């Protein structure tokens, strides 16, 4: 695991860029999910920036897990 990956996994709140990198999706996909209400829960800061709590991202991913 690289230092960047380790830093991202240890952060409690992630930027949109970090979430997109972690999931391997584009920013437009992330914002499309937000518009449709199917993306992870987000925090909108007073300056308009978006953050995603690591625990919310993990919870969201767990909810999408399919039985193999």
């Amino acid at each position: 695991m690289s230092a960047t990956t380790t830093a991202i996994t240890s952060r409690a709140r992630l930027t949109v860029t970090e979430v997109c990198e972690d999931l391997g999706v584009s920013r437009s996909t992330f914002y499309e999910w937000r518009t449709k209400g199917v993306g992870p829960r987000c925090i909108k800061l007073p300056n308009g920036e978006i953050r995603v709590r690591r625990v919310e991202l993990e919870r969201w991913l767990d909810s999408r897990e399919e039985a193999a």
Side-chain angles (χ1 to χ4, degrees):
M1 192 180 295
S2 73
T4 304
T5 304
T6 303
I8 289 173
T9 357
S10 66
R11 292 188 54 189
R13 286 174 298 283
L14 305 172
T15 65
V16 172
T17 300
E18 290 169 333
V19 172
C20 291
E21 287 175 0
D22 192 34
L23 297 176
V25 299
S26 67
R27 289 177 71 86
S28 62
T29 297
F30 176 84
Y31 283 109
E32 182 179 330
W33 290 345
R34 271 186 52 82
T35 301
K36 292 179 177 178
V38 298
R41 289 182 57 192
C42 299
I43 303 164
K44 188 168 186 176
L45 302 176
N47 65 1
E49 291 184 17
I50 302 291
R51 294 291 184 273
V52 178
R53 286 186 178 97
R54 168 60 64 187
V55 294
E56 287 298 332
L57 179 60
E58 295 300 327
R59 186 176 299 142
W60 178 78
L61 287 170
D62 288 346
S63 75
R64 271 128 191 91
E65 188 173 320
E66 294 182 12

